[in-house]
Amino acid sequence: MKIFIFCDIEGISGIFSPEQVTPQGSRFQEGRAFMTAEINACAEGCKAGGADVVVVRDGHGGSYSVLWDKLSPAVDEVLCGPSGDDRFADIDECDGLILLGYHAMAGTRAAVLEHSMSSVRVQNYWINGSKAGETAIDAGIAGEHNIPVILVSGDDKLCAEAGALLPWAETVQVKRGLTSFGAALLPPEKAHGLIRDAAERAVRNLSSMRSLVYPSPVRFRVELTERQPLPNPRSCPGLTILDGRTFEVEAPTLEDALFRS
């Protein structure tokens, strides 16, 4: 059994400040350490649950956050750097996907570091008319490969979002959002214990998990933040400009639509 952990940083326990999540931030090295420790706890839980192989993808920013020399032996491979045209490299070889350290979609009240893909470029996303964040996007792309999301972790707002979308998956609340840049944090051992236990349960219960698949063709709508350039319809098949900041892409799959946008 092979499990794929796709890890972001904003939803990691101990993370609450922009200073912890960007290379320019004064506390970025601390954020990297917190992220790596949570990956280790998750991988150890997966192995305890019966996983034979655990692959980790550093999915934050430019994929420069994991501290390679601090990884647990429970991690069999870590994917870093550009992965080509696929959102999840080699996911077809895997049996389940974990979305570790995720954050709530843009605009979610009192969610820690909320955004959708890019807080600079993107205001909102919709999939087939429903507002969507990164959890919905990534679960849908995995579903197109017949891979179920088995666990999602982050703050309480993210867990509510994921629970409504993926009721079969484990959700792990590692902090409580107070504001965009404020949180009620658990101590590390408690947060890591929750992650480890949930990962073990998720892997043991893999047979009860489901894939999320959106009806095709997929309508993927993007509302940009102000003064961002719109894509050129001539170079993007299936694209419709709706107004000065909003466009929609229709494509056979969500993964196609995301990369066209």
Side-chain angles (χ1 to χ4, degrees), residues 41 69 184 230:
D69 62 336
L230 290 164

Side-chain angles (χ1 to χ4, degrees), residues 111-130:
V112 180
L113 298 170
E114 47 78 20
H115 65 281
S116 295
M117 294 294 184
S118 169
S119 58
V120 174
R121 180 176 181 265
V122 176
Q123 190 80 8
N124 289 299
Y125 286 128
W126 291 263
I127 300 172
N128 291 344
S130 296

Side-chain angles (χ1 to χ4, degrees), residues 27-260:
R27 301 176 65 178
F28 183 53
Q29 294 308 311
E30 173 188 74
R32 297 179 70 196
F34 293 168
M35 178 176 169
T36 305
E38 198 142 300
I39 287 170
N40 290 343
C42 188
E44 289 161 6
C46 289
K47 288 293 180 69
D52 301 301
V53 177
V54 175
V55 175
V56 174
R57 169 65 176 164
D58 180 350
H60 176 62
S63 186
Y64 39 58
S65 302
V66 170
L67 295 173
W68 172 78
D69 62 336
K70 302 298 183 183
L71 284 172
S72 166
V75 175
D76 294 286
E77 190 174 54
V78 59
L79 309 180
C80 300
S83 59
D85 294 333
D86 296 325
R87 176 70 172 161
F88 303 109
D90 302 327
I91 197 171
D92 290 315
E93 302 172 1
C94 298
D95 299 287
L97 173 66
I98 292 175
L99 305 179
L100 187 70
Y102 268 52
H103 49 80
M105 72 176 76
T108 303
R109 184 178 180 185
V112 180
L113 298 170
E114 47 78 20
H115 65 281
S116 295
M117 294 294 184
S118 169
S119 58
V120 174
R121 180 176 181 265
V122 176
Q123 190 80 8
N124 289 299
Y125 286 128
W126 291 263
I127 300 172
N128 291 344
S130 296
K131 201 170 181 182
E134 291 178 38
T135 300
I137 293 169
D138 287 342
I141 292 173
E144 292 169 348
H145 295 265
N146 296 315
I147 307 298
V149 170
I150 64 173
L151 185 153
V152 185
S153 75
D155 71 6
D156 55 324
K157 314 306 187 298
L158 178 279
C159 287
E161 181 181 322
L165 185 70
L166 309 166
W168 57 84
E170 291 278 345
T171 55
V172 187
Q173 179 186 322
V174 296
K175 56 191 169 187
R176 181 165 53 88
L178 303 176
T179 65
S180 294
F181 304 139
L185 305 175
L186 294 175
E189 288 188 9
K190 288 185 177 180
H192 295 164
L194 291 175
I195 291 286
R196 192 178 292 108
D197 291 347
E200 180 176 352
R201 286 194 305 271
V203 173
R204 290 194 188 280
N205 296 326
L206 184 63
S207 62
S208 66
M209 303 294 178
R210 295 164 45 198
S211 299
L212 177 68
V213 180
Y214 293 102
S216 180
V218 175
R219 291 180 294 108
F220 189 63
R221 182 173 294 188
V222 184
E223 179 188 8
L224 302 174
T225 56
E226 61 181 353
R227 300 186 180 91
Q228 296 294 322
L230 290 164
N232 185 345
R234 293 183 178 180
S235 60
C236 183
L239 184 142
T240 303
I241 303 296
L242 301 176
D243 61 31
R245 296 195 339 189
T246 311
F247 63 92
E248 189 168 274
V249 176
E250 185 171 288
T253 68
L254 177 56
E255 191 165 24
D256 286 341
L258 177 65
F259 280 99
R260 290 184 195 180

